[in-house]
Structure formats: C-alpha cells, structure tokens
C-alpha cells in the first residue's frame, strides 16, 4: 500500500537512452542516383539513411570528393560497400558522357543546398534578432516625401542619420520579444523586414539635413519610426552546412515559429532559446522532444495530473520540490520526454538561434524541448 508521504519520491526522468549504432543504409536505398536541380542534401541523405545528419560518415571512405557537403546537379552517386562491409557513396565515373570527363566546378553556388534555400533565405539575408540597445541606437525613418502614414515603393524616405550615398539599406520594424519560457528573460527582439532601398542623398545631421532613401521594395508599408540598417554590398550567405550533432550536451526549447501558429511541421523555421553561449553552431542537428504527461496514483487508480483532484495536485506540487527519482513507493510518476522530430540550426546568436524543422512524427509546438545528449554527441 502506498501512503501520501510517498509522493515526495518524485522522478525527474527527462531523457531517453541512446546507443551508438553502426551506420546502416535503408533497405530501399537506390544503388544509383543522379542529382537533380532542386534536390537538397537532406533529401538525398534521407533516401539512404534514417539519420540524415550522418551523411559525412557515408562519404568518409570516398577518395573522389574533397568536400562531402558539396554535391552538384548531374553527379551520379553509386552505393558501394568496402572490404569491412561499411557502406559508402561514390561518384560513379563508369558512365561516359559526351561532355569533358574531368569534373570542373566554376562556381561554388551551383552546389545543391543542404536544406530548401527559399525557406531559409529571408532569415539568412535579412530577418534577424537585435538587442534593445541596437534598436534604440539605429537610424530611424522620419517620414516620406508625401504626407502618408505608410510609404510604398517609389517614395523618398527621410532617415535620421548620415548614410552612405548609393548604399543599399534594409528597413525593419520591431516585432516580438523573444523570451525564455521558464525564466521570462529577454533574449532578443525580432527585427521584421518591411522594405529596402538605396540612398540618393547621404544627409548631414550636424547641419540638420536627413538622408534620403529611395524605397524600392516594400513587404509592408513603411512607417515613421522604422529603423534602417545597411545591407552589405554583394552580401553572401551559406547554402551548404556541415550537418553534425553538437560535440557537447545541449538543451533548450522552441520559443517561436515563423508562421506564428501554435503547431507546425517540416520545413518550418523556429526560434530556439539556445545559441553560441552553449557552443551551438550552424549545421548542428538537435532532437525535438516533448514531455510526457505526469501520472498520479490515487485511491481511484492512475490518473493524468490534469484530471486529478485538487489534493492530488497539491501533493504533486510538494513532491516536485524534491526532484527525487521514481521508485516502487512513488505515487506521482514524472514520465520521460519522447522524441517527436529533429531540427537543424542555420543561424546562431548569443542566446538564441534559428533552426529548420527537418523531421517530425507529429506536429511540433512552441514549448517543445530540443536536445543533444552526451551519448548522441559522441555517436
């Protein structure tokens, strides 16, 4: 028989065990595959591996490729096994073409991207997170050359700053405040791209003359008070990432999504409350895990805590202060987290990062956890 005092024997089992497994390819993996325009490295990896982020392991014995993250349309991939039975993909040079047989690559940009670039490009090029001080110190739009509250393409904007004549600038509006879900700590401010243009007159603030910016593109109407930041000339951004588990144990939570919905699926962009301070890097793959509901055993039998009586809930809250593990005398059972998907990080700040949902077994939600356990990092 179990007594109420046993409620303080609480479990905080929050991880699931992982064992290192040898690299195996899917049973239906193609023996040959010709890379097509529009393919992504993740898509090809999924054809061969259940864990696509292990892509490099599939190429590590391949002498034909210097950089396994650069795969090009037209490449013919062939699945083989070495003398030890290890699977490997190689470039099949047995297929003769009328074109020169030497593989010449003129532009790195022709390589297929790791993930769908159109989904990531706005975040890689423009969308960003800024600090409160950065927002406060940035030049602002004072108004337009016409008496309108919302400027549109073709309007001249007056900017309170000395800008570079001919320079290209992006215009941002303050969006959501990103906060840690547990502590409510501010991690950054969403900078929402509303437009862009080029400077036709640099301005002179000492002489009381604002800069003039010709508005060329507007995703939304530009308003007075929006901030202006430079766009680097010939700005480039990564299309290929080296997919890997973090080398260290990592944990965090999903705090926002690009579609602002409660639930979302693959190819959605999410914001994580973990960044470079936790040694997170672009290309890191994390598991999405969800906390299973707490169960309490009462005189009426096991019940989810949401369905328990007020007294049972109070006992559960008292037990949570101690955080002890489940045992055979527990009446409150804290269940483990279970994996529901994966994300790949593609843009990292100090305290947060942007990631793309690359796999799901059910809809993902704001509040879900992300993690890479020590065992996973070593695998």
């Amino acid at each position: 028989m179990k007594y109420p005092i046993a409620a303080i024997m609480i479990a905080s089992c929050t991880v699931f065990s992982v064992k290192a497994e040898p690299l195996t390819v899917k049973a239906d993996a193609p023996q040959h595959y010709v890379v097509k325009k529009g393919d992504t490295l993740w898509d090809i990896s999924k054809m061969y591996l259940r864990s696509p982020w292990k892509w490099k392991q599939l190429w590590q014995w391949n002498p034909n490729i210097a950089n396994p993250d650069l795969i090009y349309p037209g490449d013919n991939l062939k699945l083989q096994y070495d003398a030890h039975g290890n699977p490997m993909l190689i470039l099949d040079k047995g297929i003769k073409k009328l074109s020169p047989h030497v593989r010449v690559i003129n532009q790195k940009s022709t390589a297929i991207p790791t993930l769908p670039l159109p989904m990531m490009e706005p975040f890689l090029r423009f969308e960003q997170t800024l600090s409160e001080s950065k927002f406060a110190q940035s030049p602002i739009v004072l108004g337009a050359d016409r008496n309108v509250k919302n400027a549109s393409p073709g309007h001249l904007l007056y900017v309170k700053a000395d800008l570079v004549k001919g320079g290209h600038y992006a215009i941002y509006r303050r969006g959501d405040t990103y906060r840690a879900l547990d502590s409510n700590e501010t991690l950054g401010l969403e900078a929402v791209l509303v437009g862009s243009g080029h400077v036709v007159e640099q301005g002179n603030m000492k002489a009381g003359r604002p800069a003039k910016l010709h508005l060329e593109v507007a995703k939304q109407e530009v308003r007075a008070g929006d901030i202006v930041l430079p766009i680097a000339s010939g700005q480039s951004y990564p299309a290929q990432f080296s997919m890997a588990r973090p080398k260290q144990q990592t944990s965090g939570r999903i705090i926002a999504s690009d579609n602002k919905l409660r639930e979302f699926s693959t190819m959605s962009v999410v914001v994580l409350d973990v960044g470079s301070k936790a040694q997170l890097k672009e290309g890191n793959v994390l598991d999405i895990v969800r906390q299973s509901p707490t169960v309490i055993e009462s005189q009426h039998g096991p019940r989810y805590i949401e369905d328990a009586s007020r007294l049972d809930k109070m006992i559960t809250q008292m037990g949570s202060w101690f955080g002890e593990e489940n045992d055979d005398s527990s009446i409150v059972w804290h269940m483990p987290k279970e994996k529901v998907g994966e994300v790949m990080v593609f843009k990292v700040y100090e305290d947060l990062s942007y990631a793309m949902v690359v796999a799901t077994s059910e809809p993902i939600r704001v509040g879900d956890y992300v993690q890479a356990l020590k065992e996973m990092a070593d695998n």
Side-chain angles (χ1 to χ4, degrees):
M1 182 176 181
K2 299 177 180 179
Y3 299 94
I5 191 65
I8 65 174
M9 307 300 291
I10 305 300
S12 58
C13 180
T14 59
V15 301
F16 48 87
S17 61
V18 177
K19 293 183 178 179
E21 296 180 357
L23 186 67
T24 56
V25 298
K26 292 181 176 179
D28 59 350
Q31 295 298 307
H32 287 273
Y33 182 75
V34 178
V35 181
K36 304 177 185 64
K37 186 176 180 180
D39 281 343
T40 68
L41 189 58
W42 187 269
D43 291 335
I44 295 174
S45 301
K46 283 200 301 183
M47 287 194 293
Y48 289 93
L49 302 171
R50 286 187 172 80
S51 299
W53 55 269
K54 293 182 179 179
W55 175 253
K56 276 193 173 182
Q57 294 182 41
L58 198 59
W59 288 85
Q60 66 178 346
W61 298 283
N62 184 0
N64 295 321
I65 294 182
N67 187 337
D69 295 319
L70 296 182
I71 309 298
Y72 296 80
D75 282 350
N76 190 76
L77 310 181
K78 183 178 181 180
L79 179 63
Q80 291 186 340
Y81 293 84
D82 68 6
H84 303 286
N86 297 310
M88 60 181 183
L89 274 175
I90 65 170
L91 282 175
D92 187 357
K93 296 187 176 182
I95 298 178
K96 301 298 182 183
K97 299 181 180 179
L98 295 177
S99 57
H101 65 277
V102 178
R103 187 170 182 246
V104 178
I105 297 166
N106 295 319
Q107 291 188 344
K108 193 174 182 179
S109 60
T110 59
I112 65 171
T114 305
L115 295 174
L117 199 53
M119 306 288 188
M120 296 188 297
E121 184 177 6
F123 296 89
L124 291 169
R125 292 194 64 185
F126 295 110
E127 304 292 354
Q128 54 185 298
T129 298
L130 302 175
S131 64
E132 186 79 55
S133 61
K134 181 65 175 177
F135 257 102
Q137 296 166 10
S138 297
I140 62 170
V141 174
L142 295 171
D145 59 341
R146 302 172 204 174
N147 187 10
V148 293
K149 291 183 179 179
N150 301 314
S152 56
H155 285 178
L156 275 179
L157 302 178
Y158 299 109
V159 181
K160 187 180 178 181
D162 297 343
L163 303 180
V164 178
K165 187 174 182 178
H168 287 80
Y169 288 78
I171 304 157
Y172 294 93
R173 181 170 302 144
R174 179 167 174 162
D176 294 337
T177 299
Y178 293 133
R179 300 181 185 276
L181 298 182
D182 296 325
S183 65
N184 207 37
E185 175 190 0
T186 298
L187 303 177
L189 304 176
E190 179 187 23
V192 180
L193 178 71
V194 294
S196 63
H198 73 278
V199 175
V200 295
E201 190 172 314
Q202 66 183 30
N204 187 331
M205 293 313 299
K206 288 185 177 180
R209 225 173 34 246
K212 296 180 183 179
L213 187 147
H214 181 260
L215 183 60
E216 297 170 329
V217 178
K219 293 181 65 178
Q220 304 178 32
E221 294 87 351
V222 178
R223 305 171 187 165
D226 290 341
I227 67 169
V228 176
L229 296 174
I231 303 173
S233 178
Q235 184 176 9
S236 62
Y237 48 88
Q240 292 85 27
F241 299 87
S242 182
M243 297 182 291
R245 291 287 188 182
K247 293 182 179 179
Q248 69 292 331
Q249 186 162 315
T250 306
S251 63
R253 298 184 77 177
I254 296 174
I255 60 174
S257 70
D258 63 331
N259 58 20
K260 310 295 183 183
L261 299 178
R262 171 178 164 76
E263 294 187 336
F264 31 89
S265 188
T266 54
M267 302 303 110
S268 295
V269 174
V270 295
V271 183
L272 312 179
D273 64 353
V274 60
S276 60
K277 281 185 179 177
Q279 302 178 55
L280 202 62
K281 297 179 180 179
E282 289 87 355
N284 280 170
V285 178
L286 305 173
D287 284 332
I288 307 171
V289 293
R290 181 170 300 156
Q291 181 65 60
S292 299
T294 301
V295 172
I296 185 167
E297 287 192 78
S298 68
Q299 59 182 346
H300 303 293
R303 292 186 177 185
Y304 292 122
I305 189 64
E306 291 84 357
D307 303 325
S309 67
R310 185 178 300 178
L311 175 60
D312 288 338
K313 290 180 180 179
M314 184 177 68
I315 293 172
T316 303
Q317 185 176 16
M318 291 175 59
S320 67
W321 298 343
F322 296 87
E324 297 182 15
E325 295 184 356
N326 291 336
D327 63 20
D328 60 1
S329 63
S330 295
I331 64 169
V332 180
W333 295 87
H334 288 260
M335 301 305 183
K337 296 184 178 77
E338 299 294 345
K339 180 175 176 178
V340 294
E342 292 178 326
V343 295
M344 195 201 82
V345 176
F346 64 84
K347 192 171 185 178
V348 178
Y349 295 91
E350 259 196 358
D351 295 309
L352 53 78
S353 55
Y354 290 109
M356 179 171 283
V357 178
V358 293
T360 63
S361 59
E362 55 186 276
I364 305 304
R365 306 170 188 160
V366 170
D368 283 342
Y369 294 81
V370 293
Q371 68 180 27
L373 304 182
K374 187 62 169 66
E375 298 98 315
M376 294 177 182
D378 291 340
N379 187 9

